[in-house]
Every structure is written in C-alpha cells, then in structure tokens.
Amino acid sequence: MRLRTWFLVSISAVACPCGAFAQTADRQSDPAPAAAGARAAPTDIEDIVVTARKQNEHINDVPMSITAATGETLARQGVTQIADLQKISPGFSFQPSQYGNPVYNLRGIGNLDDSIAAAPTVNIYQDQAPIPYSVMAEGVTYDVERVEILKGPQGTLFGQNSTGGAINFVANKPTRTFATGLDLTGGNFGTFNARGFVSGPITDTLAARVAVAVDERGDWQRSLSRPDDTLGQRSFRAGRFLLDWTPGDRLRFSLNVNGWLDDSDSQQPQFLFYSPTVPASVGGYTDLAPYLSTFPRAPDKARVADWDPNTRLRRNDNLWQMTFRGEYDLSDAVTLTSLTALSRFNRDFPIDVDGTPYTNLLMDVLGRIRSFSQELRLNGTLAERRVKWMVGANYQRDQSRNDNRFKFDASNSGVGPFRFFAANGYSTQDVKTKGVFGSLDVRITDTLTAQGSIRYTKSTNDAAGCLRDYGDGALAAAFSAVTGYSIAPGACVTTNVANGRPELILSKLDEDNISWRAGLDWKPVEGTLLYANVTKGYKAGNFPTPPAIFSFQLDPIPQEELLAYEIGFKQTLFDRSLQLNGAGFYYDYTNKQTAGFRPSALGNFPSFISIPKSSVRGVEMSLSWRPLDDLTINAGGAYVDSEVDRDFVTADPFGRFVNIKGEHFPTTSEWTATADAEYRFPVSNKAEAYLGVSPRYRSSAAAAFGNDPNFVLHGYTVLDLRAGVEFADGRWRAEIWGKNVTNRFYLTTAVKTIDAMTRQIGMPATFGVTLSFHR
C-alpha cells in the first residue's frame, strides 16, 4: 500500500508541474537595478553549467536530481561549511558522530561510523578529484565557483561508496586578467573571519590564483559546574594555490595545491543522566556513581556544557592535498583526461565524551590517512554529437591508522579485583580499489535520449586491529589473569577466538561489484524535461573499530547495495522567470551498514551492524522564481520515508535486544524544507540595498534504533536574516547578518556512552557584519 501511494504521488508530481520536487537551479548575476519606484518586468533565470556527468551541461538538461548553487549564492546564504548545505538542499543533513567525525546524509542514506577512515555514502570531491573521507573535507567551501549536490547512487562515474550521492565543489579558477577580492567578517563570540584571493596571468599561457581563509572565534560554551570556565574557540586556516597552463590549442594542464589547519576546541556534549553499562547489582564498579547519579541534567540552553577541568580539548587536525589534471584533445571530437590526487591528513581530536567534570570517559582520537588516486578517461562524440561516450579506469589506495586513546573511570573499568582506567583502540587499514567504467548517451530522436553507464570495481582491504594496554600495564595485567597468557604493557589484549591468544587481529576483505545506471529523458517542448532512471550502487564493506575484547567484534561488515528508481521533471515557465523541478524515488536497500551496539563481557559497546533489507521512498520539490527584477525566491522541500523492512534483532544503546522492523533510519527526518528570498532596491544611482531571509525546517527524528524517547531529536525551524548595500556594480559590499536569530535550541545527535547519556547541540544565535571588496 505504501509503495502504491508513493508511486501515485510521484506520477502526479511529474504529470502536473504545478508543484515540483527536486533541486535548485540558480541564476547569473543580477542586472542593473531598476529606477527608483519602477516595477520591473520578470527576469530570466538561467540555469548553471554543471559537470555532474564529467562534461559541461546546463543543469536543466541533466536527467538526474541535482542541487547547484553558485559561490555568490553560498556566500549570500552564509554557507561556510559543508554542514551549511542544509540551507540550500532539502534532503541533505549533517550529524556529528560520537567521536567528532562529520556524517553527511542524502535522502536517508548516510554512514554513521566513528572511524576517521570510514568510507562515506555521500562522497566529497573538489574539481572531480576525490576527498575520500569526510574528516578531510573541511577546507573546500571557500573561494568556490559553485557546488553541485548529486542525489542518488553515483557509483558509475564517481566510484563505489557513493550510494547516497556526491558533492562536487568547483574552485574558482585563475583569471586571464588581474582580479582580487577580500571579505572581512566580525561578529559575536569574538568572531573574525577573512577570505581573500589574488588571480591573474603570469604569461600568455600561464595563469595563477592564490586564495586564503582564516576563521577565528572566542569561547561560546560555558561550564555548568564552573561558570567562569569557557570553551569553544575556533582557529581555522586554509590556503589554495592554482595554476592553469595552456601550452597549445589542444593541451591544458591545471595544478591545485591546497591545505588547512584546524586548532579549534572540540565541541563538548551536554550530560543528561547516569546509566551504568554494568549495573552494581551484577558487579559493576561504583567509583563515580555518587557523582554522576547526582550531577544535574543540562538545561535546554545551547551554550551550557561541561568537561574535565584543566584538560586539553583543542584539536590539531591538518590536511595537505595536491591534484593535477591534464587534458588533450586528440581530435575535435575526442578528449583524453588524466586526474591525479595525493592527500595527507593527520588528526588529534580530544573530547570529553561524558559531558561532566568527572573522567567517566575522556578520549583523544589520533589518526592519519594517506590517499593516492589516478583516473584516466576518454570522452567524445559521434554522429554529429547525437552520441556521447566515455570510457575510463581508475586506481586508488588509502592507508589509514586510528588510535582511540581512552581514559575512563566507569562501571566496567576492571575485571574482578583487577582495575584499569585507560586503554587504546588501535586499527590500521590498507584499501586498494581498481575500477573501469564507461557511459553512453544516444539521442534517439530530437526529443528523446537514452543514457547508460557501468563500472566494475575490485577492492581489497587489509586490516589490523585490537584493544591495547595503555602502557601502564593495568589492562594487560587484568587480561593476563583472565586468559592465562602473559601480556606485556602496551600489547594487545583482544582474544583471537581461533586460538584463544591475545594478539593483533589481522583480517582481509576482498570484494567486487558492478554498478550501473540506465535512463531515458524526453523534451517534448522547449523548457520541459521528463526523465526516468534505474541505478545500482554499492558501498564497500567495512571493518568496525570498537574496543574489542574478542576478535569477532572486529569481523568485517559486507558491502551494501542500493537499487534506486527515480522519475522526475524540470520545467521552465513564465518567460524563463520560474524554474520548477521535481522527483520521486524509491530505494531498495540490501545489507545497509550503520552504527549499532554489541553487548560483551565488559558492557554494551558501539559496533557496526548490517541490516539485510530496508527501503527508502520519497519525493522532492524546488522552485527558483524571479517575479520581479528586484525579487528572487528559492524554495524546496523533501519527504523521505525510510524503513527497516524485515525482522532484525539487535542491541539498542542500553544493551536491550530489540526488533527494529518498521523503524526509520537514525537521524533521518521525514520532512525537510528550505527557502530563501532576497529583495533588492536602489538607494542611489551607484548603490543598491538588499534584504534577505532564509528559514529552514527539519521534522523530528531518532538518533538511534530502539524507539527510546531519550534519543528523539525534536523538529525545529532555524531562521537566518541579512541586510546590506552594494556599491559600484557590486565591487563594494557591506552586510549585517544573523544566523539562528530566534536562538532556537535544537539537537544534532544524542548518544549513550558507557555510563552517561549525552547530546550535541546546534549553535546558538550569531550575529555579525561583513565588508567585501572584489575587483
């Protein structure tokens, strides 16, 4: 019944473009302001040129769901981080994992994992070069030409793991004339941000661009137990150097060297209540029970949190990346492209996980990632451009190391008389991925086009991991007594169930798959596109990284697969002043990977689970409208209904076994909506003022399976406002702005960790002024 209802709604949406579902189409820069008091005629909205299929196309000619926004639009709506894309793309969401890793979700498809090397389902790219892990993508949102958010599986052209979608940031390129720009922002909490670039020619064939970004902010969190103690500083710096070289008419090269450094404080959670993972009635330790059981619940105030006093909670994360692209036109119809990327990432991320001034659980997430990728492809046209084709191959190798260093005093911090208060969760992975791919678009008639693409992927993952003694010998002594083996300080205590010995657990995962896409699009009249797609995508298997007592806790999770059906339309109306887009989709999900729990002798530990059968169905709508030259309106909404389809018994965060059949995916809201309206009016013959408003809404969701009310993330609406004035054709701009101006209190996640129930909070109201100069 549900599927039939979804299908009827989707058909109605496509057949009747009186409402629309999908992705934002944007406009180019505004024309000159109308004379004072004059009412302007409707103005064209021109669609953006995108590279979603690795070729230049107008967004309204691409038969798939895409949200695209120019750099101007991103700046106007205050998009300074990937999480801010929630402001422009309904169906997209952000959630921090328990240990601070960002998790991006499209249409309910996301990968909640605490490992820094957890392959995401929503992959991030910069100029089509992969940023393979979400923790590496912090420095991509400044000095961009546009962003493209591709919804649904993108595995044929962008590789496996893109079961949810792909986000491609296109950096501003070197210019052939001298250009420069500077944006300075000041705001509450001691905020100071600077963005700047210099661009221009070096020779007739060589041009360069240098862009930098600096973000500084003072403390915004305040300790509940020590009102004079504050935290929350932001200190982020990034730079990018681009070089474009055109030695001949047929040959082009580009180099992008970029990096960033983040020395910000990690955001600390709010404590809710004490819940021991091993109750005292069954032998749990009660050292902190008198303190945690009476510690007050955090109030519903965004700035309040707590942490251990005199503790370093400032991260030291950094990335360095180089990408090199070469293009050679073998003929007027065939181009050879090579894309090489090399990345180095290091993480040092401390966090007080329990949200109290007591050391129930204090962590330092240490890690590193080394990534290399190489893609080589040929693309071209045949039969007077009625046929477009592409073939290619790629290779990628990712090497990672993860050290989760725990300090704790908890109900499970010991074995009988043997106590321990520290441990180290250690893991390494070496992933090699090879793929070959191809695509073919055939214009059958002047109005009907068929598309198809396919990729074969082979991957191997050599992993090693264990729970290690911290070096003080306490954990080793406890497990020596339990296992009967002598374990040295600093050594592994994880028991290999195959031989009964404590040791480093070595594992290997070999997988392959064939991703594919088939579709039709029809343009019955000018300005109308109807399309239908069927896509098969995969995400590689995964090794969990829990504090494992037994080797089976480190067993890999198999690859997941997603079969996606989508129908949609793109409709231009009213002399190109209104763009309506819509889509309906249904996902058949097999072996969905997600965060879960696995009880053990020392309590309920985070782990990874694989859900055999689940599904997602939904519809999306968006419009971009310029009813007047002075007024621009963008709006969108999405309905996403995710569900576990079959009986599946697993542990909830409190260690209780539950059947999650019929439950929605964690952190997936059924309803999301975004909007932005901007009105411009002249204030003199050289100046133009503007007013803007940007609300966004998200309905309630659950942070974990199990239907426990403690994990409900209530729905909320956030409102941003802006007002400014531009001079000299936009060269100078002054703006005042506010984000979350109503100071709405809302949650981003809720977590049960050892003995504490905690939650993470969205930012409170922020206000500021931005001054810009661009030439």
Side-chain angles (χ1 to χ4, degrees), residues 142 194-196 211-215 236-239:
Y142 68 99
R195 303 279 192 275
V212 296
V214 176
D215 292 351
F236 175 80
R237 296 167 299 284

Side-chain angles (χ1 to χ4, degrees), residues 128-190:
Q128 301 179 14
I131 301 176
Y133 301 101
S134 298
V135 293
M136 304 169 70
E138 190 172 353
V140 297
T141 56
Y142 68 99
D143 196 39
V144 296
E145 176 186 326
R146 67 180 183 275
V147 63
E148 305 167 0
I149 304 173
L150 287 59
K151 300 179 181 181
Q154 305 297 325
T156 57
L157 294 181
F158 285 94
Q160 71 170 354
N161 302 327
S162 298
T163 46
I167 303 175
N168 182 38
F169 287 87
V170 179
N172 279 318
K173 300 302 185 292
T175 53
R176 293 300 172 179
T177 59
F178 179 77
T180 186
L182 180 64
D183 300 290
L184 300 176
T185 296
N188 60 336
F189 302 124

Side-chain angles (χ1 to χ4, degrees), residues 107 109 585-587 589 614-618 640-642 665:
R107 293 177 170 176
I109 310 302
F585 55 90
Y586 175 78
Y587 294 167
Y589 218 162
S614 53
S615 59
V616 182
R617 57 198 59 78
V640 176
D641 180 18
S642 60
F665 296 168

